[in-house]
Amino acid sequence: MGFTFEARTLLELGRELISDDEIALYELIKNSVDAKSPKVVVDVHSQLAFTDFREALRRARETKAAIPELVTFVREKLTDADLPEAMTFLKVLNACKERQAFIDALEDGYASLNWIEIRDTGEGMSLEDLETIFLRIGTRSRRRENEKGATNLGDKGIGRLSAMRLGGQLLVRTTRASDSNWNLLAIDWSDFSHERDQRVESIPVDPELGDRKEDPSTSGTTIRIENLSADWDLVRFTELLDGKISRFVDPFEKGLANKLIEARHNGQRVMIPAVPKALRTSAHAQCTARFFFDADGNPAIEGEIDYRLKKQKTSIAVEGAEVMNVSKATKKRRAKRGHAAFKETPISLDALRKLKAFDLEVFWYNRRIIEGIEGLSENATASKRELARWSGGPMLYRHGFRVLPFGEPDDDWLGLDKKAFGSSGFKLNRQQVFGRVRIETPHRYLSEQTNREGLVQSEVSDALKRLVEWIINVEFRAFINEVDEAELIQFRKEELENNQILRAEKALKRAVQSLRDEADGAFASEIEVIESTAGLLRDEALGVLKQLDRVREQAGDDREKFVYLAGVGLMTEFIFHELERAVSHTMTLISEMGSSAPVVRTLSDQLQTLYKRIAAFDELTGEKRQTKTRFDLRDVIHEIVANHEREFARHAIVLELDLPDQPFTIRAVRGMVVQIVENLVVNAAYWLKRQAEYEDGFEPELSITIDADKRQLIVDDNGPGVPVDRRERIFQPFVTTKPSGMGKGLGLFIARDMAQYHDWSLLMDQRVGRIQPKRVNGFILQMS
């Protein structure tokens, strides 16, 4: 004996899987589309609202109102009492002598006067189909078709349960082109109610042969739902079409929804709105991108960001190892620091191949400065109202039809609000953003949950989410920040509170104590200098914060003061990021190779520089000059690469040093030069490791050259490189292709800033590149 279940379970199943009327209607429309119907008619006939029907029943059952009085109440609530069917209904009610007879007539009349029909001219169903497919919940017929390459929107076999959500009776009239007759099926869902203690198989539901077709070639299906369980007046129906239903069929394709769906209410056509063109063309910024596999079989993302408000554009171009890298998930580990503080979860290349491709289109408005939109709205309030109709984040579409619930008001699938409200400016929160992601991925690789609450979690769904999240949360957001100076450098006081400085000091103390333990009495003077510098760093930073608070309070609407204040706040964030990186790197070296003179000297140099850079922000005393000394650049390079020897050995990175035989003496701030070269080496090593993960047989190479004649320091690698048209943008803050949370995109920004302090230049080396001429891989530090 196999499983069986109570009949009422079927109703519970429908209620759980189909959460509201809009989804129920959408599921029935999708069934017609899967039946290859070029048009679907949704016809709502509503003469008596469900709430008025219930009130009439209550009065008949619970009050002593006379039948004529009850009939008068019903007549007043009818949409059009002069319709022939309404007049017949009222005549029957008036003829009732007994209260129960009135109640029975009222229930019968409500069912006949209020119904929804979904009509299509698709493939239709035979009598056998009704028995073996339609009445079999969870049938796999669509799934099997999809596995053979079909593009059915549904493949769970539960869409038909939507009918029970909408009303108490279901009538199906269907036929195939090869049938001679119509095929009929009637279901009364009350037969499955809690009042009936029966097993589902004991309730007879029998399809039957209907009347003969007038046109032998006719095919299609009509789903008629009677005894509606909600109000379906014109106002509500229009609201449904204007709300969720307008998003079901891709609303960015003008006229697509109305071409497919003919919506009618009591015979009147109701149009389904699309995203207005003016709303898209007037957006303050737009991001378009696509993920695909190029001719060589490498995953790639290409796109463009157009910040129309500022009349600036930039491109998105990553491929190969970079795509694999941004698809990683990162999770913060407790009690860990630096790169060790993150656990990385990579996505396989096979998962990306199954994802195949997608394209993205996102529009952004800054709601604080939105104005009237020509041809759409007269003022800011009307513009915000129009934006609110479509905002919520990018919606997901497969073959032009919505995958729920992505982009719904309560679904922040990309973490846009979390990112926006966790940083200054509230950039790119879902109230500001609308758009779409279009996929063609087959159901067998990217399946929807049965309850229509998202995609089934898998490596493919993770890949889709992470790539889209990187494009929007990293590339799009960073470019807006980069271009919009007022918000790019907005002072973030919450990130500069005293506890952040004290945490940095504690991290330094832990590092110093580890050094002391490992050194076992050695390097006492160096460690004393480090401790002293840490204390000075804290005191100076706290002093700057107090001054910043005073300036902030006095700034008011003074734009110049505000910009100055914001710039100081942003640079202070950079410094603390570099402080944490320096400490984390030192701790890693200690754990790998113990303390040594180069390790201690490198950390000491960087702390001295960081202290002096914070001190330079003191607006009352003016910028303090940092001490420049004369030293051999070769020594700095040898110290830095010595710190990376084990890392290079672990990852088989071949290092080539091409340094002059004679000393190459420069006059500079030694700590700054250490940070410049260190950042370039760390960046190169990171991407060499990523390329090795992606490319089988890859042999990572890093070259550091001093050209004494040209006074250049050249750092080359054979990693994935940087697109040529992006070579300037990578020096901007927050521009990175590291996984979310792993990097802030500050290393190259600070390296160039330090170079400029010495009147030097740091630029991309355009002489090399693994994928010429599209990408470049090296950096040149041009020293005066």
Side-chain angles (χ1 to χ4, degrees), residues 627-736:
T627 304
K628 294 183 179 180
T629 60
R630 299 186 68 80
F631 58 91
D632 190 347
L633 182 58
R634 299 179 307 168
D635 294 339
V636 171
I637 294 171
H638 282 301
E639 288 178 9
I640 291 172
V641 298
N643 290 339
H644 289 272
E645 281 182 355
R646 292 196 177 186
E647 178 187 21
F648 293 164
R650 255 194 336 268
H651 298 282
I653 297 175
V654 177
L655 174 66
E656 180 182 346
L657 294 179
D658 185 4
L659 308 179
D661 295 331
Q662 302 300 318
F664 184 77
T665 303
I666 61 174
R667 185 173 183 275
V669 180
R670 194 175 192 279
M672 280 191 174
V673 176
V674 169
Q675 284 187 280
I676 293 172
V677 180
E678 175 75 12
N679 281 336
L680 297 180
V681 170
V682 167
N683 189 66
Y686 179 88
W687 285 110
L688 288 171
K689 287 183 279 187
R690 300 293 82 79
Q691 187 67 30
E693 291 173 356
Y694 171 69
E695 181 182 341
D696 291 337
F698 173 68
E699 298 179 357
E701 299 174 0
L702 174 61
S703 170
I704 303 177
T705 303
I706 293 179
D707 188 328
D709 294 334
K710 295 182 179 180
R711 297 194 64 78
Q712 291 179 344
L713 172 67
I714 304 169
V715 180
D716 288 345
D717 67 75
N718 65 335
V722 175
V724 172
D725 57 3
R726 192 183 170 90
R727 62 179 176 265
E728 283 301 315
R729 189 168 174 242
I730 62 168
F731 291 105
Q732 297 297 324
F734 307 123
V735 176
T736 181

Side-chain angles (χ1 to χ4, degrees), residues 363-379:
F363 302 87
W364 174 77
Y365 277 91
N366 186 337
R367 289 174 59 91
R368 290 181 296 182
I369 61 173
I370 194 171
E371 298 176 346
I373 300 172
E374 185 177 354
L376 182 64
S377 57
E378 296 181 355
N379 51 45

Side-chain angles (χ1 to χ4, degrees), residues 177-204:
S178 57
D179 293 340
S180 301
N181 292 66
W182 289 94
N183 306 301
L184 308 178
L185 175 67
I187 300 176
D188 186 339
W189 295 115
S190 64
D191 292 340
F192 300 83
S193 67
H194 286 265
E195 286 73 26
R196 301 207 176 196
D197 190 16
Q198 292 178 274
R199 293 181 178 180
V200 68
E201 64 270 20
S202 67
I203 299 176

Side-chain angles (χ1 to χ4, degrees), residues 149 288 396 469 494 567 585 606 657 711 757:
T288 56
L396 183 62
E469 185 176 6
E494 68 276 11
H585 181 58
Q606 293 193 36
L657 294 179
R711 297 194 64 78
Y757 175 84

Side-chain angles (χ1 to χ4, degrees), residues 250-261:
D250 191 343
F252 291 86
E253 303 296 326
K254 184 179 179 180
L256 181 61
N258 289 304
K259 181 180 179 181
L260 173 70
I261 302 171

